[in-house]
Amino acid sequence: MLYIGQVEETEQAEVDAELLRAAVGEFVRWARTGDVMPAGQAAVLGHLARAGALSITDLAAREGVRHQSMARTVGLLAEQGLVLLEADAIDRRRVLVHVTDEGLARLGDERRHRTAGIAAAIRTELNDEERALCRRIPGILDRLRRGPSDGER
């Protein structure tokens, strides 16, 4: 049974969720405008930097793409010297992908470039109250990311 106000809260949550989804998407696209590296390649380097060596299958699952597409991305990264491929010691049919020092450096360059652009916008476009609110956003987004449970998504 729904009580007065519950429908409105549910509908408002849907509206808020859509506005947030659209705003985050636009923000990410804006932050990436000066990127040199394609987003898919940067994402793979990010996974490897955080998790260590991963198989192409694991990378494909993390990115939600087919194995063939990920193999192509990994091949492009290998051609640039940003990743190193080696056969798994346990299962020689499986290939492990390692990020190289050059890959970490390029990923760092991309991240620093994005961070600098965001910092410049924070300094020039926001007032003190908005800057204080910006400091709270990462924690709020983290709380949203951790819940609700998968059954409620």
Side-chain angles (χ1 to χ4, degrees), residues 23-97:
V24 168
E26 286 296 319
F27 181 81
V28 168
R29 282 187 286 284
W30 168 79
R32 288 181 173 166
T33 55
D35 285 2
V36 174
M37 181 180 296
Q41 291 180 24
V44 169
L45 292 179
H47 289 303
L48 296 171
R50 286 186 297 277
L54 294 167
S55 70
I56 292 174
T57 302
D58 292 338
L59 287 166
R62 287 174 184 236
E63 282 298 295
V65 300
R66 293 183 329 219
H67 185 280
Q68 180 181 354
S69 297
M70 184 54 65
R72 188 175 319 114
T73 299
V74 167
L76 292 170
L77 290 167
E79 287 174 11
Q80 299 171 68
L82 304 179
V83 298
L84 185 66
L85 307 177
E86 76 169 344
D88 187 314
I90 297 169
D91 181 352
R92 303 298 288 173
R93 298 167 296 172
R94 185 175 152 177
V95 174
L96 291 178
V97 184

Side-chain angles (χ1 to χ4, degrees), residues 94-111:
R94 185 175 152 177
V95 174
L96 291 178
V97 184
H98 300 266
V99 64
T100 64
D101 289 342
E102 178 64 22
L104 291 172
R106 287 277 299 281
L107 180 62
D109 290 344
E110 293 285 327
R111 288 176 173 172

Side-chain angles (χ1 to χ4, degrees), residues 126-144:
L126 303 182
N127 61 38
D128 290 342
E129 184 178 326
E130 292 167 327
R131 284 191 289 273
L133 180 58
C134 272
R135 288 189 287 277
R136 294 184 56 214
I137 291 172
I140 293 168
L141 291 175
D142 191 52
R143 284 181 51 207
L144 290 173

Side-chain angles (χ1 to χ4, degrees), residues 111-121 123:
R111 288 176 173 172
R112 279 187 293 283
H113 177 76
R114 286 184 203 160
T115 299
I118 295 167
R123 279 191 303 276

